[in-house]
């Protein structure tokens, strides 16, 4: 094991990891917002828009993320629509993961018993009060695990962006390998970093879910 190669590459790898975290944070926020809007539209929009969103969702589920990246980076410029590499990265991840998020949110909301919605109307609760006091306390614990799984997938898939010169973690790893000629050491370091990062996210999500469902366990006792 060439420890010197790892030590030499740590600054550039650290910069790449920071770039990945920033890019993934922006993409996660955008995909959550777009996914939430899609979920609402799929439940309440006119039939035409619902059919359009279903087509979009079907295409996303059928296509690899790599195809989406290629379309945005190589095909759109042919029609005078150009994005920078980081913009392509955020847009590709957002467009790809938002439909999955929309399905998770819609499924969780539709699982609420119809009687609860009727009770909200009888009590005269506003939309905001329904969301805050009835919907979110029951649906967030159900949504948390699948949403965290999607966010972990988003982070792992961000490594594909190195092929279009997005200067993220995997791009930094390739640069480090070209300078140190130590692919085993660099890739093992990268793998360890991804494992630690995603394990921390998973642990945090489990901790939050435990606290959110504490009242249920209290009721059972």
């Amino acid at each position: 094991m060439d420890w010197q190669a790892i030590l030499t590459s740590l600054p550039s790898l650290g910069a790449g990891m920071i770039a990945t975290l920033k890019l993934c944070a922006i993409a996660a926020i955008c995909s959550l917002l777009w996914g939430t809007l899609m979920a609402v539209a799929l439940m309440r929009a006119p039939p035409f828009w619902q059919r359009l969103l279903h087509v979009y969702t079907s295409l996303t589920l059928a296509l690899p993320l790599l195809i989406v990246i290629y379309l945005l980076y190589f095909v759109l410029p042919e029609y005078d629509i150009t994005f920078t590499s980081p913009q392509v990265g955020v847009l590709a991840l957002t467009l790809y993961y938002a439909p999955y998020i929309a399905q998770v949110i819609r499924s969780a909301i539709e699982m609420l018993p119809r009687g609860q919605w009727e009770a909200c109307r009888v009590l005269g609760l506003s939309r905001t009060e329904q969301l805050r006091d009835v919907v979110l306390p029951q649906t967030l614990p159900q949504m948390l695990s699948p949403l965290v799984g999607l966010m972990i997938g988003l982070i792992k898939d961000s490594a594909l962006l190195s092929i279009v010169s997005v200067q993220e973690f995997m791009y930094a790893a390739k640069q480090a390998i070209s300078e140190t000629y130590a692919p085993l050491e660099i890739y093992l370091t990268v793998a360890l970093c991804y494992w630690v990062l995603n394990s921390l996210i998973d642990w945090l999500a489990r901790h939050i879910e435990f606290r959110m469902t504490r009242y249920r366990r209290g009721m059972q006792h």
Side-chain angles (χ1 to χ4, degrees):
M1 183 71 71
D2 188 352
W3 296 104
Q4 185 59 41
I6 296 175
L7 293 174
T8 302
S9 304
L10 281 181
S12 60
L13 291 177
M17 173 58 79
I18 291 173
T20 290
L21 291 176
K22 289 180 179 178
L23 186 146
C24 289
I26 296 172
I29 293 171
C30 291
S31 59
L32 284 170
L33 291 175
W34 177 223
T36 301
L37 291 174
M38 282 186 61
V40 173
L42 287 168
M43 292 185 291
R44 297 185 177 276
F48 170 78
W49 294 107
Q50 290 189 17
R51 287 194 292 270
L52 200 61
L53 288 174
H54 279 302
V55 171
Y56 164 46
T57 300
S58 299
L59 286 173
T60 303
L61 296 177
L63 293 176
L65 176 58
L66 191 59
I67 298 298
V68 179
I69 295 171
Y70 281 160
L71 288 173
L72 293 174
Y73 192 77
F74 295 111
V75 177
L76 287 186
E78 298 291 330
Y79 300 92
D80 296 325
I81 303 174
T82 305
F83 299 100
T84 64
S85 294
Q87 289 172 343
V88 167
V90 171
L91 189 58
L93 292 172
T94 299
L95 292 175
Y96 193 78
Y97 275 91
Y100 292 96
I101 292 171
Q103 294 301 322
V104 170
I105 295 174
R106 187 180 68 161
S107 299
I109 292 176
E110 289 181 343
M111 285 178 63
L112 284 177
R114 185 175 297 274
Q116 296 200 22
W117 297 105
E118 296 173 354
C120 289
R121 287 193 291 269
V122 170
L123 293 172
L125 298 180
S126 66
R127 290 288 185 184
T128 302
E129 290 172 333
Q130 291 179 31
L131 184 66
R132 181 191 65 203
D133 301 330
V134 179
V135 178
L136 289 181
Q138 297 183 75
T139 58
L140 276 180
Q142 299 175 17
M143 293 188 291
L144 190 59
S145 291
L147 286 179
V148 169
L150 289 173
M151 292 303 101
I152 290 175
L154 185 150
I155 292 172
K156 293 190 293 185
D157 281 344
S158 68
L160 293 173
L161 301 177
S162 64
I163 62 175
V164 291
S165 301
V166 178
Q167 297 183 14
E168 43 73 66
F169 197 28
M170 189 56 65
Y171 183 90
K174 292 178 180 178
Q175 293 293 104
I177 291 172
S178 67
E179 295 172 1
T180 62
Y181 302 100
L184 175 62
E185 290 81 356
I186 300 301
Y187 281 136
L188 283 177
T189 303
V190 169
L192 179 63
C193 290
Y194 273 119
W195 176 74
V196 170
L197 174 61
N198 290 324
S199 296
L200 285 174
I201 293 173
D202 183 61
W203 174 84
L204 181 61
R206 291 177 186 275
H207 179 70
I208 294 173
E209 184 179 11
F210 179 83
R211 292 180 64 86
M212 292 175 65
T213 57
R214 186 167 49 188
Y215 74 96
R216 295 181 183 176
R217 291 188 297 275
M219 293 173 61
Q220 293 174 355
H221 294 297

Short mmCIF file of all heavy atoms in Angstrom, two decimals, residues 182-212:
data_model
loop_
_atom_site.label_atom_id
_atom_site.label_comp_id
_atom_site.label_asym_id
_atom_site.label_seq_id
_atom_site.Cartn_x
_atom_site.Cartn_y
_atom_site.Cartn_z
N ALA A 182 -1.33 5.36 -8.72
CA ALA A 182 -1.68 4.45 -7.63
C ALA A 182 -3.19 4.25 -7.61
O ALA A 182 -3.88 4.72 -6.71
CB ALA A 182 -1.18 5.01 -6.31
N PRO A 183 -3.75 3.57 -8.62
CA PRO A 183 -5.21 3.44 -8.69
C PRO A 183 -5.81 2.67 -7.52
O PRO A 183 -6.89 3.03 -7.04
CB PRO A 183 -5.44 2.69 -10.01
CG PRO A 183 -4.13 2.00 -10.29
CD PRO A 183 -3.08 2.91 -9.75
N LEU A 184 -5.12 1.62 -7.05
CA LEU A 184 -5.66 0.83 -5.94
C LEU A 184 -5.83 1.71 -4.71
O LEU A 184 -6.91 1.72 -4.08
CB LEU A 184 -4.72 -0.34 -5.63
CG LEU A 184 -5.10 -1.19 -4.41
CD1 LEU A 184 -6.46 -1.84 -4.61
CD2 LEU A 184 -4.03 -2.22 -4.11
N GLU A 185 -4.81 2.43 -4.34
CA GLU A 185 -4.86 3.25 -3.13
C GLU A 185 -5.90 4.37 -3.25
O GLU A 185 -6.66 4.62 -2.30
CB GLU A 185 -3.48 3.86 -2.85
CG GLU A 185 -2.42 2.87 -2.41
CD GLU A 185 -1.79 2.11 -3.57
OE1 GLU A 185 -2.24 2.30 -4.72
OE2 GLU A 185 -0.86 1.31 -3.33
N ILE A 186 -5.96 5.02 -4.40
CA ILE A 186 -6.89 6.14 -4.58
C ILE A 186 -8.33 5.64 -4.57
O ILE A 186 -9.20 6.22 -3.88
CB ILE A 186 -6.59 6.90 -5.88
CG1 ILE A 186 -5.16 7.47 -5.84
CG2 ILE A 186 -7.61 8.02 -6.08
CD1 ILE A 186 -4.90 8.41 -4.69
N TYR A 187 -8.60 4.58 -5.32
CA TYR A 187 -9.97 4.09 -5.39
C TYR A 187 -10.44 3.51 -4.05
O TYR A 187 -11.62 3.62 -3.70
CB TYR A 187 -10.12 3.05 -6.50
CG TYR A 187 -10.23 3.66 -7.87
CD1 TYR A 187 -9.51 3.14 -8.95
CD2 TYR A 187 -11.04 4.76 -8.11
CE1 TYR A 187 -9.61 3.70 -10.21
CE2 TYR A 187 -11.14 5.33 -9.37
CZ TYR A 187 -10.42 4.80 -10.42
OH TYR A 187 -10.51 5.36 -11.67
N LEU A 188 -9.53 2.89 -3.31
CA LEU A 188 -9.90 2.41 -1.98
C LEU A 188 -10.23 3.58 -1.05
O LEU A 188 -11.17 3.52 -0.25
CB LEU A 188 -8.76 1.57 -1.38
CG LEU A 188 -8.62 0.14 -1.91
CD1 LEU A 188 -7.41 -0.54 -1.27
CD2 LEU A 188 -9.89 -0.67 -1.64
N THR A 189 -9.46 4.66 -1.16
CA THR A 189 -9.74 5.86 -0.36
C THR A 189 -11.09 6.45 -0.72
O THR A 189 -11.89 6.84 0.15
CB THR A 189 -8.64 6.91 -0.57
OG1 THR A 189 -7.37 6.33 -0.23
CG2 THR A 189 -8.89 8.14 0.28
N VAL A 190 -11.36 6.54 -2.02
CA VAL A 190 -12.65 7.07 -2.48
C VAL A 190 -13.80 6.19 -1.99
O VAL A 190 -14.83 6.69 -1.51
CB VAL A 190 -12.66 7.17 -4.02
CG1 VAL A 190 -14.06 7.45 -4.54
CG2 VAL A 190 -11.71 8.25 -4.48
N ALA A 191 -13.64 4.87 -2.11
CA ALA A 191 -14.69 3.95 -1.66
C ALA A 191 -14.95 4.11 -0.17
O ALA A 191 -16.11 4.11 0.28
CB ALA A 191 -14.29 2.51 -1.98
N LEU A 192 -13.89 4.25 0.61
CA LEU A 192 -14.04 4.43 2.05
C LEU A 192 -14.79 5.73 2.37
O LEU A 192 -15.67 5.75 3.24
CB LEU A 192 -12.66 4.43 2.72
CG LEU A 192 -12.65 4.64 4.24
CD1 LEU A 192 -13.39 3.50 4.94
CD2 LEU A 192 -11.22 4.74 4.75
N CYS A 193 -14.45 6.78 1.65
CA CYS A 193 -15.12 8.07 1.88
C CYS A 193 -16.60 8.00 1.56
O CYS A 193 -17.44 8.51 2.32
CB CYS A 193 -14.45 9.16 1.06
SG CYS A 193 -12.79 9.60 1.61
N TYR A 194 -16.95 7.37 0.43
CA TYR A 194 -18.36 7.20 0.08
C TYR A 194 -19.08 6.38 1.14
O TYR A 194 -20.23 6.69 1.52
CB TYR A 194 -18.51 6.53 -1.28
CG TYR A 194 -18.47 7.47 -2.45
CD1 TYR A 194 -17.49 7.37 -3.43
CD2 TYR A 194 -19.44 8.47 -2.61
CE1 TYR A 194 -17.45 8.23 -4.51
CE2 TYR A 194 -19.41 9.33 -3.68
CZ TYR A 194 -18.41 9.21 -4.64
OH TYR A 194 -18.38 10.07 -5.71
N TRP A 195 -18.44 5.32 1.61
CA TRP A 195 -19.06 4.45 2.61
C TRP A 195 -19.31 5.21 3.91
O TRP A 195 -20.40 5.12 4.49
CB TRP A 195 -18.17 3.24 2.88
CG TRP A 195 -18.69 2.35 3.97
CD1 TRP A 195 -19.75 1.50 3.90
CD2 TRP A 195 -18.19 2.27 5.30
NE1 TRP A 195 -19.95 0.87 5.12
CE2 TRP A 195 -19.00 1.33 6.00
CE3 TRP A 195 -17.14 2.88 5.98
CZ2 TRP A 195 -18.78 1.00 7.32
CZ3 TRP A 195 -16.92 2.55 7.31
CH2 TRP A 195 -17.73 1.63 7.97
N VAL A 196 -18.32 5.98 4.37
CA VAL A 196 -18.47 6.75 5.60
C VAL A 196 -19.58 7.79 5.45
O VAL A 196 -20.45 7.94 6.33
CB VAL A 196 -17.14 7.43 5.99
CG1 VAL A 196 -17.35 8.42 7.13
CG2 VAL A 196 -16.10 6.39 6.39
N LEU A 197 -19.58 8.51 4.34
CA LEU A 197 -20.58 9.56 4.12
C LEU A 197 -22.00 8.98 4.10
O LEU A 197 -22.89 9.48 4.80
CB LEU A 197 -20.29 10.28 2.80
CG LEU A 197 -21.33 11.31 2.34
CD1 LEU A 197 -21.46 12.43 3.36
CD2 LEU A 197 -20.97 11.86 0.97
N ASN A 198 -22.21 7.93 3.32
CA ASN A 198 -23.55 7.36 3.22
C ASN A 198 -23.97 6.66 4.50
O ASN A 198 -25.17 6.66 4.84
CB ASN A 198 -23.61 6.40 2.03
CG ASN A 198 -23.54 7.12 0.70
OD1 ASN A 198 -24.07 8.21 0.56
ND2 ASN A 198 -22.88 6.52 -0.28
N SER A 199 -23.02 6.10 5.22
CA SER A 199 -23.35 5.49 6.52
C SER A 199 -23.78 6.55 7.52
O SER A 199 -24.72 6.33 8.31
CB SER A 199 -22.14 4.72 7.06
OG SER A 199 -21.82 3.63 6.22
N LEU A 200 -23.13 7.70 7.50
CA LEU A 200 -23.52 8.80 8.39
C LEU A 200 -24.94 9.30 8.07
O LEU A 200 -25.74 9.57 8.97
CB LEU A 200 -22.52 9.95 8.28
CG LEU A 200 -21.18 9.75 8.97
CD1 LEU A 200 -20.23 10.91 8.65
CD2 LEU A 200 -21.35 9.63 10.49
N ILE A 201 -25.23 9.42 6.78
CA ILE A 201 -26.57 9.87 6.37
C ILE A 201 -27.62 8.86 6.82
O ILE A 201 -28.68 9.22 7.34
CB ILE A 201 -26.62 10.07 4.85
CG1 ILE A 201 -25.72 11.25 4.45
CG2 ILE A 201 -28.05 10.31 4.39
CD1 ILE A 201 -25.58 11.41 2.95
N ASP A 202 -27.31 7.57 6.63
CA ASP A 202 -28.25 6.52 7.04
C ASP A 202 -28.46 6.53 8.55
O ASP A 202 -29.59 6.42 9.04
CB ASP A 202 -27.73 5.17 6.58
CG ASP A 202 -28.69 4.04 6.91
OD1 ASP A 202 -29.83 4.07 6.42
OD2 ASP A 202 -28.30 3.13 7.67
N TRP A 203 -27.37 6.69 9.32
CA TRP A 203 -27.48 6.73 10.78
C TRP A 203 -28.31 7.93 11.23
O TRP A 203 -29.17 7.81 12.11
CB TRP A 203 -26.09 6.81 11.41
CG TRP A 203 -26.13 7.00 12.90
CD1 TRP A 203 -26.27 6.03 13.86
CD2 TRP A 203 -26.07 8.26 13.59
NE1 TRP A 203 -26.30 6.60 15.11
CE2 TRP A 203 -26.17 7.96 14.98
CE3 TRP A 203 -25.93 9.58 13.18
CZ2 TRP A 203 -26.15 8.96 15.95
CZ3 TRP A 203 -25.91 10.57 14.14
CH2 TRP A 203 -26.02 10.27 15.51
N LEU A 204 -28.06 9.08 10.62
CA LEU A 204 -28.81 10.28 10.99
C LEU A 204 -30.29 10.11 10.69
O LEU A 204 -31.15 10.51 11.50
CB LEU A 204 -28.24 11.48 10.23
CG LEU A 204 -28.90 12.84 10.51
CD1 LEU A 204 -28.74 13.21 11.99
CD2 LEU A 204 -28.30 13.92 9.62
N ALA A 205 -30.61 9.51 9.55
CA ALA A 205 -32.01 9.30 9.19
C ALA A 205 -32.69 8.35 10.17
O ALA A 205 -33.84 8.57 10.57
CB ALA A 205 -32.10 8.74 7.77
N ARG A 206 -31.98 7.30 10.57
CA ARG A 206 -32.56 6.37 11.55
C ARG A 206 -32.79 7.06 12.88
O ARG A 206 -33.80 6.80 13.56
CB ARG A 206 -31.63 5.16 11.72
CG ARG A 206 -31.56 4.25 10.51
CD ARG A 206 -30.56 3.12 10.73
NE ARG A 206 -30.38 2.32 9.55
CZ ARG A 206 -31.16 1.30 9.19
NH1 ARG A 206 -32.18 0.96 9.98
NH2 ARG A 206 -30.93 0.62 8.09
N HIS A 207 -31.87 7.92 13.28
CA HIS A 207 -32.02 8.65 14.54
C HIS A 207 -33.23 9.58 14.48
O HIS A 207 -34.03 9.65 15.43
CB HIS A 207 -30.75 9.46 14.82
CG HIS A 207 -30.80 10.27 16.07
ND1 HIS A 207 -30.79 9.70 17.33
CD2 HIS A 207 -30.87 11.62 16.26
CE1 HIS A 207 -30.85 10.65 18.24
NE2 HIS A 207 -30.90 11.82 17.62
N ILE A 208 -33.38 10.28 13.37
CA ILE A 208 -34.53 11.18 13.21
C ILE A 208 -35.83 10.39 13.20
O ILE A 208 -36.83 10.77 13.84
CB ILE A 208 -34.38 12.02 11.93
CG1 ILE A 208 -33.18 12.96 12.04
CG2 ILE A 208 -35.66 12.81 11.65
CD1 ILE A 208 -32.86 13.70 10.76
N GLU A 209 -35.84 9.26 12.47
CA GLU A 209 -37.04 8.43 12.41
C GLU A 209 -37.40 7.89 13.78
O GLU A 209 -38.58 7.82 14.16
CB GLU A 209 -36.83 7.28 11.42
CG GLU A 209 -38.06 6.42 11.21
CD GLU A 209 -37.81 5.31 10.21
OE1 GLU A 209 -36.64 5.10 9.83
OE2 GLU A 209 -38.79 4.67 9.81
N PHE A 210 -36.40 7.51 14.58
CA PHE A 210 -36.64 7.02 15.93
C PHE A 210 -37.32 8.08 16.79
O PHE A 210 -38.28 7.80 17.52
CB PHE A 210 -35.32 6.58 16.56
CG PHE A 210 -35.45 6.08 17.97
CD1 PHE A 210 -35.83 4.77 18.22
CD2 PHE A 210 -35.21 6.92 19.06
CE1 PHE A 210 -35.96 4.31 19.53
CE2 PHE A 210 -35.33 6.47 20.36
CZ PHE A 210 -35.72 5.16 20.58
N ARG A 211 -36.85 9.31 16.68
CA ARG A 211 -37.43 10.40 17.46
C ARG A 211 -38.84 10.75 16.97
O ARG A 211 -39.72 11.07 17.77
CB ARG A 211 -36.54 11.63 17.39
CG ARG A 211 -35.20 11.46 18.11
CD ARG A 211 -34.35 12.71 18.00
NE ARG A 211 -34.98 13.84 18.68
CZ ARG A 211 -34.85 14.11 19.97
NH1 ARG A 211 -34.10 13.32 20.74
NH2 ARG A 211 -35.45 15.15 20.50
N MET A 212 -39.05 10.68 15.66
CA MET A 212 -40.36 11.03 15.10
C MET A 212 -41.42 10.00 15.45
O MET A 212 -42.62 10.34 15.50
CB MET A 212 -40.25 11.19 13.59
CG MET A 212 -39.44 12.39 13.14
SD MET A 212 -39.21 12.46 11.35
CE MET A 212 -40.89 12.68 10.80
#
